[in-house]
Amino acid sequence: MSQFVKREKFIPYNLPNITDQEINEVVDTLKSGWVAKGPRTNEFEKEFAEYLGAKHAIAMNSCTAALHVALLTKDIGPGDEVITTPMTFASTANTIIHTGATPVFADVDFKTACIDPDEIEKKITPKTKAIVPVHYSGQVCDLDRIYEIADKHGLFVSEDAAHALWSRYKGRLIGSKLQGAASYSFYATKNLCTGDGGMLVTDDDEIDRKARIFAGQGMSKNAWNRYAKGGTWKYDICEPGFKYNMFDIQAALGLKQLARLEEMQAARLKIAAKYQEAFGKIDAMDPPYVPDYTTHCWHLYVVRIVPELLTIDRDQFIVELNERNVGTSVHFIPVTYMSAFTNRYGYKEGDFPNAEKHFDRLISLPLYPTMTDEEVQYVIDAVKDIVETYHK
Ligand SMILES: Cc1ncc(COP(=O)(O)O)c(C=O)c1O
């Protein structure tokens, strides 16, 4: 019989990791007389680019903004098609629609839940202009295959790296030695948190030049220092751009978080290793498969149940975890299930079998640097208790 004892306090699915270092930097920023986009945003861009080994980093107010701008820099618009994955947050696909182009979904590889390069090839038409692969949960896509396809068909690759800060493909940091562009998220739950925020990264000077214009209201390059001594009041709006820039209060958080990234990652890796070991021994659980080419940053720990061995489904499994005071999330409901997409493009259940099968089984468990050993063990014990209670 199970010795499981329910704890009193709820373990949330996620908590940001903010220390006095971040708080003091934000307070210093507030007292500095410069809270909008300014020196700290510039410094954060510089340090982020240096950390990745990328030529340019353009700080924005979200990853959504960065994904949108990346496509705009390549003049993607009405009449064009952009291939992406259904196993993502809606913003990956929304931003394609915002350019006027059509999102075309390619199913995922069931093992990794990342976009399947064979499926990408099947979806290419003369209208295809770009691919937006998503490094799902911190797992990385099979980039050699994706860039091979992109090169063959002359396509732009805009990597959605919202989850992938610190992840590596064949030992190379995602975001370094980029052929296209990569977009990061610093939303509250991410491995580096600025509350909300994002970064577009590229080695391409032209993408950098255009992105700064699109993200900054379409203002000509020399306008940002217009309030400084010697700055000019004259500016042109050379594109109908967007108000997408990051500002210094966010960047203050980002700078200190970046300085602590390795320490926070070490904690994530330790927790993920414990989960991998424990769930690998439970027949009704299917822990994440990590291919040899991936160094996983463990933004999310997405475990799958094996419903064939259980008398309950995924939804009930989540209810049972919640009753045992364990918070969870689901990453993601396939975008192709959302009414904005079914109404527009007529997708129906069964169109993306691997993404749908993954969705039916997945649960995102708590994983964040401040989790204690006791909390991690408790989550494992709660999962074991549910499996023992509902095993066929
Ligand atoms: C895969 C993916 N792409 C893009 C985004 C958008 O990020 P943001 O909230 O920074 O706009 C998210 C958000 O969680 C995401 O999970």
Side-chain angles (χ1 to χ4, degrees):
M1 267 310 278
S2 171
Q3 297 300 303
F4 181 75
V5 181
K6 182 174 162 181
R7 82 198 305 265
E8 303 228 323
K9 216 167 150 220
F10 187 73
I11 300 177
Y13 144 73
N14 192 283
L15 278 178
N17 181 214
I18 307 287
T19 65
D20 284 348
Q21 296 178 48
E22 282 91 339
I23 294 167
N24 292 339
E25 189 69 16
V26 168
V27 172
D28 285 352
T29 308
L30 291 169
K31 290 178 177 169
S32 74
W34 200 285
V35 291
K37 178 181 157 76
R40 281 180 172 83
T41 307
N42 295 342
E43 187 59 25
F44 185 37
E45 288 182 340
K46 197 170 142 259
E47 290 197 9
F48 197 80
E50 268 170 25
Y51 168 73
L52 292 182
K55 195 166 174 196
H56 306 287
I58 308 112
M60 305 214 190
N61 57 20
S62 67
C63 179
T64 306
L67 288 165
H68 186 198
V69 163
L71 296 177
L72 293 176
T73 65
K74 290 288 172 178
D75 299 324
I76 287 163
D80 298 335
E81 291 177 355
V82 177
I83 298 176
T84 192
T85 165
M87 187 41 64
T88 186
F89 185 59
S91 55
T92 318
N94 286 347
T95 51
I96 297 170
I97 298 176
H98 294 156
T99 67
T102 302
V104 173
F105 295 94
D107 204 358
V108 298
D109 175 349
F110 183 66
K111 272 169 111 176
T112 61
C114 285
I115 197 164
D116 181 343
D118 292 336
E119 294 297 313
I120 294 177
E121 283 209 285
K122 286 185 203 160
K123 298 292 169 93
I124 290 173
T125 74
K127 292 179 178 175
T128 310
K129 291 286 169 353
I131 306 169
V132 185
V134 175
H135 300 303
Y136 172 81
S137 76
Q139 182 82 268
V140 302
C141 298
D142 189 351
L143 287 177
D144 283 353
R145 291 260 350 258
I146 290 172
Y147 278 102
E148 197 185 297
I149 295 165
D151 286 347
K152 191 168 141 200
H153 297 275
L155 307 176
F156 172 54
V157 178
S158 164
E159 295 176 34
D160 182 335
H163 299 179
L165 180 58
W166 200 89
S167 289
R168 286 149 170 89
Y169 177 73
K170 296 188 176 172
R172 161 180 82 71
L173 265 177
I174 294 298
S176 69
K177 300 203 181 83
L178 269 174
Q179 272 176 256
S183 297
Y184 292 84
S185 173
F186 309 133
Y187 175 66
T189 58
K190 298 298 191 287
N191 292 28
L192 185 158
C193 155
T194 62
D196 248 321
M199 193 75 84
L200 179 63
V201 170
T202 185
D203 283 354
D204 184 310
D205 296 343
E206 194 55 9
I207 294 179
D208 175 63
R209 188 186 69 78
K210 287 185 169 178
R212 289 182 190 281
I213 290 172
F214 278 118
Q217 303 277 31
M219 257 187 218
S220 54
K221 201 175 164 235
N222 62 358
W224 284 114
N225 66 348
R226 67 192 185 283
Y227 303 128
K229 187 169 163 61
T232 174
W233 54 267
K234 286 184 185 167
Y235 62 87
D236 178 35
I237 297 290
C238 53
E239 289 285 348
F242 299 86
K243 176 72 176 170
Y244 276 172
N245 61 276
M246 181 176 278
F247 58 95
D248 274 23
I249 301 171
Q250 292 166 299
L253 276 166
L255 280 164
K256 293 297 168 191
Q257 287 263 295
L258 186 59
R260 292 199 306 109
L261 185 64
E262 292 304 323
E263 162 201 322
M264 293 193 289
Q265 280 303 129
R268 281 183 182 274
L269 265 52
K270 213 174 117 196
I271 298 165
K274 284 188 185 160
Y275 282 163
Q276 286 292 79
E277 209 212 326
F279 301 137
K281 292 181 191 148
I282 304 176
D283 62 354
M285 302 307 286
D286 178 15
Y289 164 76
V290 183
D292 284 348
Y293 58 69
T294 298
T295 309
H296 204 310
C297 73
W298 298 107
H299 165 52
L300 301 173
Y301 189 84
V302 183
V303 69
R304 294 192 291 223
I305 64 162
V306 181
E308 294 81 4
L309 297 179
L310 295 168
T311 57
I312 54 171
D313 62 8
R314 188 277 315 276
D315 291 6
Q316 186 58 31
F317 207 109
I318 287 178
V319 171
E320 297 288 334
L321 280 167
N322 202 274
E323 277 175 4
R324 286 164 180 76
N325 277 333
V326 176
T328 57
S329 188
V330 170
H331 296 90
F332 293 97
I333 305 169
V335 175
T336 43
Y337 277 2
M338 302 292 176
S339 57
F341 293 84
T342 53
N343 292 345
R344 245 172 227 256
Y345 307 113
Y347 292 120
K348 56 185 186 326
E349 218 174 307
D351 284 347
F352 302 96
N354 287 341
E356 293 169 19
K357 188 172 162 191
H358 176 66
F359 165 63
D360 286 342
R361 293 162 181 244
L362 76 89
I363 303 170
S364 301
L365 292 176
L367 195 166
Y368 42 95
T370 53
M371 271 184 96
T372 63
D373 290 348
E374 185 270 318
E375 287 171 327
V376 175
Q377 190 56 49
Y378 181 84
V379 173
I380 293 169
D381 292 343
V383 168
K384 279 185 185 163
D385 185 51
I386 297 167
V387 170
E388 276 179 27
T389 311
Y390 295 103
H391 209 287
K392 274 185 184 164

